[in-house]
Amino acid sequence: MVADEVAATLADGRAVVALESTIISHGLPSPQNVETALECAAHVRASGAVPATVAVIDGSLRVGLSVDEIERLGSGEAEKASLRDLGYLLAEGRTGSTTVAATMFASHRAGIRVFATGGIGGVHRGDDHDISADLTALATTPVAVVCAGVKAVLDLPRTVEALETLGVPIVGQGTDVMPEFWTRGGDLPVSVRSDRPTTTAGILHAHWGCGLLSGVVVANPIPIAVEADPQTITDAIVGGLAAAEAAEVHGRDVTPFLLAHIGQTTRGASLEANVALVKHNAAVAAEIAMALAALPTLGVGRN
Ligand code: PSU
Ligand code: MN
């Protein structure tokens, strides 16, 4: 179900930016989770676009949430909802917060082309069979995901290779290298650099305009002023991975466990960086969505 304001904006051909909700329920601690979600929505509006937070609320897949609903997701009742979980949550009337994969799916169904989040999932370190459904969705769903790269707890080189195999471009927004979430990145090249939101919108328009049905990663590095110290982050990731193994954490619980562990061991520095990068992504996504809305309407790619 698409919120009235979102539906009207899309019908008018104006810009909408989707926002994911796992970051609210599982990615950030309270109260920063709800504060950040509301500030992201405000940043999108400040750029002239309309925000649409996606989640499953009481068994309904919703695009565009009220403040009360965002607060519910932040209070801990929502389950993490990726593609495989949607049918069960809808059938059982449950409440779930959508991952990148599930948010892309709902965005596409609603006709939204641009979506902002913190970081995407990918191939986990060590266990290269633990591959996020975010990659499946990126391969099959024509939506652009504006993010600060791949969560740095993952295996970055393998994830970048997997995206290449799946035919998903990584557009570096003002960067030549893959951002590494809490830091601006090292030596993994992106597919192409774009220095302006209008350039990115042109690439998206041509990508879908020629008939491709895949998604696009818009890799937008964390602002320099809030970048975390690379060594502190590297140490925290190594410690977090060891702690996850010792605690026998597996599957969908790995990411929330690592993010919480890294937040604790860096005494909040990673949290501050995480909040800042998410808001920056929302603002840049809105500029890209505005530029895309100014281009001729795309008829292809809706399925
Ligand atoms: N990155 C973050 N915080 C998060 C996530 C990613 O900084 O909460 C979430 C996103 O919703 C992403 C999901 O889609 O983790 C990937 O989880 P998994 O690896 O289990 O597919
Ligand atoms: Mn996984």
Side-chain angles (χ1 to χ4, degrees):
M1 197 178 84
V2 181
D4 289 345
E5 183 195 18
V6 174
T9 307
L10 290 167
D12 259 10
R14 288 183 288 121
V16 175
V17 173
L19 300 166
E20 69 138 305
S21 49
T22 297
I23 191 165
I24 305 172
S25 63
H26 293 74
L28 293 171
S30 179
Q32 288 91 343
N33 55 357
V34 172
E35 285 165 13
T36 305
L38 298 178
E39 284 178 40
C40 282
H43 278 294
V44 170
R45 285 194 192 278
S47 298
V50 169
T53 308
V54 174
V56 179
I57 303 285
D58 299 328
S60 169
L61 181 55
R62 301 272 307 279
V63 177
L65 300 183
S66 67
V67 173
D68 282 357
E69 288 163 340
I70 289 174
E71 281 172 352
R72 265 182 76 186
L73 297 176
S75 72
E77 72 165 296
E79 299 172 45
K80 181 171 166 180
S82 194
L83 296 175
R84 64 166 194 189
D85 308 303
L86 289 179
Y88 139 75
L89 292 167
L90 298 175
E92 303 285 321
R94 313 214 28 123
T95 292
S97 51
T98 47
T99 63
V100 168
T103 306
M104 286 183 78
F105 170 75
S107 301
H108 174 53
R109 300 275 297 180
I112 300 171
R113 293 286 188 177
V114 181
F115 153 37
T117 184
I120 58 169
V123 184
H124 278 262
R125 294 193 198 185
D127 184 359
D128 61 0
H129 292 293
D130 183 350
I131 300 173
S132 175
D134 292 357
L135 297 186
T136 312
L138 280 161
T140 56
T141 319
V143 169
V145 183
V146 183
C147 59
V150 182
K151 290 170 294 180
V153 298
L154 301 178
D155 187 324
L156 260 64
R158 278 206 178 103
T159 303
V160 168
E161 283 296 335
L163 287 167
E164 184 184 335
T165 303
L166 297 169
V168 176
I170 304 170
V171 178
Q173 194 66 53
T175 185
D176 295 304
V177 295
M178 188 69 184
E180 298 185 9
F181 201 70
W182 295 286
T183 60
R184 291 176 61 85
D187 48 15
L188 276 175
V190 294
S191 320
V192 61
R193 177 184 178 125
S194 159
D195 280 310
R196 276 177 293 277
T198 47
T199 306
T200 304
I203 293 169
L204 297 176
H205 194 262
H207 180 87
W208 296 316
C210 78
L212 287 166
L213 297 172
S214 48
V216 175
V217 174
V218 178
N220 183 41
I222 185 169
I224 295 172
V226 284
E227 187 180 22
D229 172 55
Q231 194 58 50
T232 305
I233 289 295
T234 303
D235 293 347
I237 292 171
V238 171
L241 290 166
E245 192 160 333
E248 295 184 23
V249 178
H250 300 292
R252 69 175 179 179
D253 300 329
V254 171
T255 297
F257 180 92
L258 289 174
L259 292 175
H261 190 277
I262 291 164
Q264 283 156 15
T265 52
T266 63
R267 291 192 201 82
S270 68
L271 176 61
E272 196 187 330
N274 198 341
V275 167
L277 70 83
V278 175
K279 289 193 254 180
H280 184 227
N281 291 343
V284 170
E287 290 178 41
I288 295 169
M290 293 290 287
L292 191 58
L295 296 173
T297 309
L298 286 159
V300 296
R302 302 286 300 278
N303 54 27

